[in-house]
Structure formats: structure tokens, C-alpha cells
């Protein structure tokens, strides 16, 4: 189920030279006015997977500089250090202004390893999010579009939100900084470490449930991939504890169908107060 | 109280050219066999504060490549993007091998802003950590040294650990991934955004309370500074939810004397199972 999906096709980078990759950013992953940050993270993650000697992202830190648009882009990578267990690299995604000059969209640092090579020890106090069964959760197709502007990404995702975190869509946000959902790719492609980079930034912002409206642009997002996900739908839980000074953090946890914590992320985002 | 302290002297970088800084890493901040990662983060943070047009670190992501040693180092910075509210930069710290070749120790991406310019809104569900009063907590001077090797950093810090998270030092770790402490600089220097970068990585590793021993090297650490700290001691709470595959995350929260959440951080670290 991995290899010929919309996600695989739209993240496919073409090697143009040592560490340099081309891609045509798909319009299929836009939300409101910009290309989704999780999709972009997966594009950069895929370029680094090719450039570095290890296959899987263990930790990826992305700084979002300017909003990406559908269309041509180039990814430039640098191998910083190669070790036995981990290798570390850097990548930047560039697009072009009206004069054809490169404009940097995102810069990332990342360490890659081999998830299949890790010992199977787990000592965790983390528990999967309390979320109703999938058929009791709701997605964009179940009601009127709550977001103005493009929502093309909705057609690519299987996204079913916990009704307890859907108050914002009905004009009655809970006031809690929580968002929970079942998550998958609409064409049934199973999750893998790269699609986890999409999963951590694909839900509506927790800010909506706090009562804010509008764009919540990511400043920085770091994702840790902790385990190769089992096939089947993921559960994603996002929590915000602190909205202050016009910024908030979003902490995401991603759980697979076998109740393993497969990814954690945190982002700092800007919030415009109403 | 800021300007002439041990911390200020030992993080002072000397500008050698555009975006390039020299420093002699102090032996006063070593722990076990290496220079403390939080001290190094503060050194890089100080170089970027000089290189970027904004004064305060809002988010800093550090990738630790090789262990730093006391002695000469050079920091090379790059200004990636300058905006009205935020500017984003990159910095690397290098030392020298036996042949005098540069060896990269750490690479960071960071966005800086002006904490004094933020609106004073706070909508938070975060609460300060439950920690006993300072005089009921214990530091390195209150018992036998529980860590083998250098512990020079202990002389520079006012670090008083919650007895509930001190079981490891008595041979009886709680099994919970928690560490809590009062934190300050030993010479009484008040906290500021730069010293918060030290605070998030200055406590003993939570791995000790999970029952692990030995070195827990940081792979990646991202710190968000959320507010300028008030004078007086800080409280730092560190939590690990998931130890799996030989890696664990450490989430830190730093609270100031006026009960404001002033910093959050998360790191991915390697843990050697006993």
C-alpha cells in the first residue's frame, strides 16, 4: 500500500545533482491560502531520506520562513555528520519570485536512523487519547465547510474529528486547547515514518477550540518519529497549554492501530487574538 | 544583577568578523565528561542575539553532533530571514581536532523576537509544578556526590531537587520519568531569556528516576522562550512519557517567581538500557 499513492506521488523528489532535488508542489495539499506545512515537511523528509545514509527521520526541526505556493520548488540538502546509529542533515526548500530569484520557504535540521534496527524495549507512561470509535467522529464531508478558502487537503485525508473537539465548527468552541482525530490518507495508503510528518500538522489548529479564528502560522515545528507505525488508521491528539503574547505551542501525539506511540511533535505558532 | 556574573562572563562571545564569534568554553560548566548542553545553547543563543536584529530567543532548535570540550571554539552564524516580528538565523559551534581542523559540535536554527514587545494576553491551562518550598529541597552540597566524574557545573548553579524526584540518588528511583527543581545561578544573577536556555537542560536526566544509569546524550533540543522571567528563583519541571527503542523525550517547563510559564522545551535523548 506504499509506493503508488497520492501522497507518494506528490512528495516524490527528483534528484538533480548531489544533494539537490526538484519537485512540483501539488495544489492538492493546500489549506486556506497556503500549502500545508505537514506535506512540506514530508517533502523535505523524503529528500533527506535520499541524501542521508539512514532511511528514517528520528527528529526533524523545521523553521517556516515564507508561505509556500503550489508549483515548482527545489530542495537543497547538506549532510552534516554521519554516524553509526544516526546521521544529521540540513535541507532548505526554495521557490521563485517574479524575477526568478530563489526564495527560501523552509529550513530544517534533522537526524535520521533506522527504526527497524531499534531494540523493542518500551517503558512508557503515555496512554492513547480518549477518542470515540471512528464511526462516531466527523470529517469535512459530514457538514458544511467550516473554513473559508481552499480546503483541497480535505480530499486527500481521512480525517475524523472527535465531536468533543468540534465545538468550533458549530460556533461553540470548548475553550480547551485540545483537538483529537482519526487520521489516514484518503486513498487508503498505510502510514509510514514519512506520512507521520504529515500527520503531526494536519488537524485544525487547537486555537479554534480556544475561540480564535483565522490563520495560525507555524514558526517552528519539531517532530520525533519514535516507531514504525502499524498499518491502519492513526489517532492524533493535539494539546495547547499556553497561549500568551500572541504565540502558542501545539503538542501532538500520534498513536498507531496497535496502541503504540509512534510520533511526538511540538510547534510554536502565532495566534491572532480576536 | 545581569552583566557581570559567572554566566555572563563564560557566555561572552567576541565578534571576530561579520557573524563570526570566538569564545573560550569554560571548564566551569562541565558535567561527567562533557560541557553541559544548556550552557552551550546559551553561548550559541548569545552569538545569535548579537547577529540578528531582534534581541530575544523565541525558539531555538539544537542538534548535538559531537561532545564539546572546555577550550577555544568559534561560532559561525547566518541570518536567514529578517521580519518585523521575528528574525531567523542559524549558528554552528566548532572546535578543533589535533591537526587544527574544525570539528562541528552543535548546529542550531533559531527565531528571535522582542519579548518586551508582546501583548500581555495569557490564556493558559498550565499550572506551576507541585514542588516543596526551596528549603525542603536538596542540592549536590546536601549529600554525597551521586554522579561519577566532573560535576563542576554544580558550583555554578543553585539547584535544589524535589525530594520526590531524588530517589535515584539514594539507589531507589521512583520509576516515574519526573524531575523537579528550584533553579538559579549560584552567584545570584537573576534569570533572563539566555539563562532560560541553560535552565531547560541543567537538571539530572529523568532517565535516572526511570532506573537507568550513565550518560543520556541529547540528540536534539528545542526550547521556546515564552516570556521574560521575573527576578528570583525558577522552578523547572521535566517529564518523560515515553522511553522506547533506546530513545526518550524530556519535556521541560520553566516557571518564574511570579508564576508565569517562561519557557518550554523538548529534547530527544539516547538512553542506554541497564
Amino acid at each position: 500500500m506504499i509506493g503508488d499513492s497520492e501522497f507518494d506521488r506528490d512528495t516524490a523528489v527528483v534528484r538533480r545533482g548531489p544533494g539537490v532535488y526538484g519537485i512540483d508542489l501539488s495544489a492538492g495539499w493546500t489549506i486556506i491560502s497556503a500549502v500545508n506545512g505537514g506535506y512540506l515537511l514530508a517533502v523535505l523528509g523524503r529528500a533527506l531520506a535520499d541524501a542521508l545514509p539512514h532511511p528514517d527521520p528520528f527528529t526533524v526541526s523545521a523553521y517556516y520562513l515564507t508561505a509556500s505556493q503550489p508549483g515548482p520548488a527545489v530542495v537543497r540538502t547538506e549532510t552534516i555528520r554521519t554516524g553509526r546509529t544516526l546521521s544529521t542533515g540540513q535541507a532548505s526548500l526554495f521557490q521563485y519570485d517574479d524575477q526568478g530569484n530563489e526564495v527560501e520557504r523552509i529550513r530544517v535540521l534533522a537526524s535520521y536512523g533506522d527504526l527497524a534496527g531499534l531494540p523493542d524495549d518500551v517503558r512508557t507512561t503515555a496512554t492513547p487519547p480518549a477518542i470515540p470509535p471512528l464511526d462516531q467522529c466527523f470529517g469535512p464531508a459530514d457538514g458544511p465547510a467550516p473554513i473559508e478558502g481552499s480546503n483541497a487537503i480535505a480530499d486527500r485525508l481521512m480525517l475524523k474529528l472527535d465531536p468533543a473537539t468540534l465545538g468550533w465548527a458549530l460556533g461553540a468552541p470548548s475553550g480547551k486547547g485540545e483537538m483529537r482525530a482519526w487520521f489516514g490518507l484518503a486513498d487508503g495508503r498505510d502510514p509510514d515514518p514519512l506520512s507521520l510528518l504529515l500527520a503531526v500538522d494536519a488537524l485544525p489548529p487547537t486555537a479554534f477550540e480556544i475561540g480564535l479564528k483565522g490563520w495560525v502560522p507555524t514558526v517552528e515545528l519539531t517532530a520525533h518519529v519514535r516507531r514504525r507505525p502499524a498499518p491502519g488508521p492513526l489517532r492524533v491528539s493535539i494539546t495547547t497549554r499556553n497561549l500568551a503574547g500572541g504565540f502558542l505551542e501545539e503538542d501532538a501525539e500520534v498513536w498507531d492501530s496497535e496502541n503504540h506511540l509512534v510520533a511526538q511533535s511540538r510547534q510554536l505558532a502565532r495566534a491572532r487574538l480576536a
Side-chain angles (χ1 to χ4, degrees), chain A:
Chain A
M1 288 304 298
I2 294 175
D4 60 353
S5 76
E6 292 176 328
F7 177 77
D8 294 311
R9 191 184 62 226
D10 289 346
T11 58
V13 291
V14 178
R15 191 171 177 281
R16 288 195 185 154
V20 181
Y21 302 86
I23 185 166
D24 199 51
L25 296 179
S26 164
W29 306 86
T30 50
I31 175 75
I32 307 182
S33 59
V35 180
N36 171 263
Y39 163 65
L40 296 167
L41 201 59
V43 168
L44 285 157
R46 193 153 166 188
L48 281 167
D50 186 85
L52 295 173
H54 292 91
D56 300 314
F58 276 34
T59 170
V60 181
S61 299
Y63 281 68
Y64 291 83
L65 304 166
T66 53
S68 298
Q69 304 301 328
V74 62
V75 178
R76 302 187 189 281
T77 68
E78 173 195 352
T79 299
I80 301 172
R81 180 174 182 270
T82 300
R84 195 172 55 84
T85 307
L86 293 174
S87 49
T88 301
Q90 176 171 317
S92 290
L93 186 142
F94 298 89
Q95 290 191 299
Y96 307 95
D97 67 14
D98 292 341
Q99 284 76 46
N101 301 311
E102 285 191 352
V103 179
E104 190 168 358
R105 300 299 194 202
I106 313 175
R107 189 176 296 199
V108 307
L109 291 173
S111 286
Y112 275 56
D114 183 358
L115 288 169
L118 297 184
D120 202 29
D121 62 293
V122 178
R123 298 190 207 178
T124 187
T125 59
T127 51
I131 181 170
L134 208 158
D135 61 4
Q136 294 170 30
C137 293
F138 298 96
D142 300 316
I147 302 172
E148 288 181 31
S150 167
N151 200 13
I153 195 173
D155 295 332
R156 303 294 175 96
L157 303 181
M158 187 286 293
L159 189 63
K160 295 283 189 181
L161 289 158
D162 182 342
T165 67
L166 253 178
W168 60 277
L170 307 169
S174 69
K176 295 183 200 167
E178 298 178 3
M179 198 67 68
R180 290 183 293 275
W182 291 91
F183 176 91
L185 291 162
D187 61 8
R189 178 197 188 273
D190 279 320
D192 72 349
L194 276 184
S195 75
L196 294 179
L197 300 181
L198 169 64
V200 298
D201 199 25
L203 271 60
T206 53
F208 289 180
E209 274 293 272
I210 301 176
L212 306 188
K213 290 175 181 173
W215 191 232
V216 187
T218 303
V219 176
E220 177 271 335
L221 185 153
T222 296
H224 298 167
V225 176
R226 305 297 302 272
R227 188 185 174 100
R228 183 170 288 279
L234 302 167
R235 285 154 294 170
V236 182
S237 167
I238 305 189
T239 309
T240 294
R241 284 162 54 82
N242 192 57
L243 164 61
F247 291 83
L248 52 76
E249 94 284 3
E250 282 199 5
D251 283 4
E253 287 192 355
V254 185
W255 293 78
D256 73 5
S257 63
E258 294 179 353
N259 283 335
H260 285 116
L261 179 57
V262 292
Q264 292 171 302
S265 75
R266 173 174 289 169
Q267 67 171 272
L268 185 71
R270 294 174 69 168
R272 306 237 168 81
L273 296 187

